[in-house]
Amino acid sequence: MKTNTLINVFFFLSFFIVTACGQNKKLPEEKAVITNNQINKPGNPYYSNTDTTKLNLTDAEWKKVLPEDVYLVMREAETERAFTGKYWNTDEKGTYYCAACGNKLFRSTAKFSSSCGWPSFFEQENKKSIVFKNDFSYNMERIEALCGRCGGHLGHLFDDGPPPTGKRYCMNSIALDFVPDNQ
């Protein structure tokens, strides 16, 4: 009986020691991750690399915050001349954002050289980053690519891209902002 009592005491004592030690254990502190805009556009209060809230602004409101050349492409669906944009022939690693609202659109890993004169991608960042609508302007049938957050004109989508998607997102450089991975 004395042995059983000693075993029980030893068992309960071990249990309480382990339990007490567990109570003093400090959990690792969680650090808040604060992501700031990678690009500073002080004249544009709608620009954010993190906010995904849909924007519904009038063209007059956009005209106040966008440079004229960006406004003409993004709000009036004009197109920059081929081989003139700053990203058509770039192969630096990084992320492409909407120049009007800062929405994340593409990673450089989805960019390819299409020789069309505009930056081309085979895949968008996520299913909501870009939306599409039929475009019958200039007596052509095309698919217009629009920013999923602000609705700004980015370019067009074609079915002549490389694997794995077979898509070519043909974008206007002026409609894009780029942040290199090393920043």
Side-chain angles (χ1 to χ4, degrees), residues 27 35 40-41 48 66-67 80 99 121 130 138 144 163:
L27 296 174
T35 17
N40 187 19
K41 295 197 177 186
S48 173
L66 295 178
E80 65 189 2
F121 304 85
I130 299 174
Y138 304 107
E144 183 179 13

Side-chain angles (χ1 to χ4, degrees), residues 37 39 41 44-49 97-102 149 177:
N37 283 343
I39 297 169
K41 295 197 177 186
N44 184 345
Y46 312 107
Y47 194 90
S48 173
N49 298 140
Y97 298 90
C98 172
C101 73
R149 181 169 181 243
D177 284 334

Side-chain angles (χ1 to χ4, degrees), residues 11-25:
F11 173 76
F12 286 116
L13 186 58
S14 299
F15 176 76
F16 288 120
I17 290 172
V18 169
T19 306
C21 290
Q23 291 176 358
N24 290 332
K25 184 178 178 182

Side-chain angles (χ1 to χ4, degrees), residues 149-169:
R149 181 169 181 243
C150 72
H153 173 79
L154 301 169
H156 291 89
L157 178 67
F158 301 99
D159 288 325
D160 59 359
T165 64
K167 301 293 184 191
R168 176 171 55 100
Y169 294 75

Side-chain angles (χ1 to χ4, degrees), residues 84-122:
T84 63
K86 57 187 169 184
Y87 303 126
W88 79 269
N89 197 23
T90 240
D91 61 358
E92 193 172 359
K93 301 296 179 213
T95 305
Y96 291 86
Y97 298 90
C98 172
C101 73
N103 188 32
K104 186 191 281 188
L105 302 172
F106 301 102
R107 284 287 301 146
S108 59
T109 52
K111 190 172 187 290
F112 68 99
S113 177
S114 69
S115 303
C116 69
W118 291 278
S120 296
F121 304 85
F122 61 81

Side-chain angles (χ1 to χ4, degrees), residues 118-133:
W118 291 278
S120 296
F121 304 85
F122 61 81
E123 183 175 52
Q124 63 194 59
E125 174 59 24
N126 65 60
K127 290 182 180 188
K128 293 182 180 181
S129 62
I130 299 174
V131 296
F132 308 96
K133 77 174 193 179

Side-chain angles (χ1 to χ4, degrees), residues 131-135 142-146:
V131 296
F132 308 96
K133 77 174 193 179
N134 291 327
D135 177 6
R142 299 178 292 176
I143 299 172
E144 183 179 13
L146 305 164

Side-chain angles (χ1 to χ4, degrees), residues 68-79:
E68 184 180 0
D69 52 354
V70 175
Y71 176 83
L72 290 172
V73 169
M74 300 204 71
R75 304 316 304 174
E76 295 187 4
E78 289 196 9
T79 301

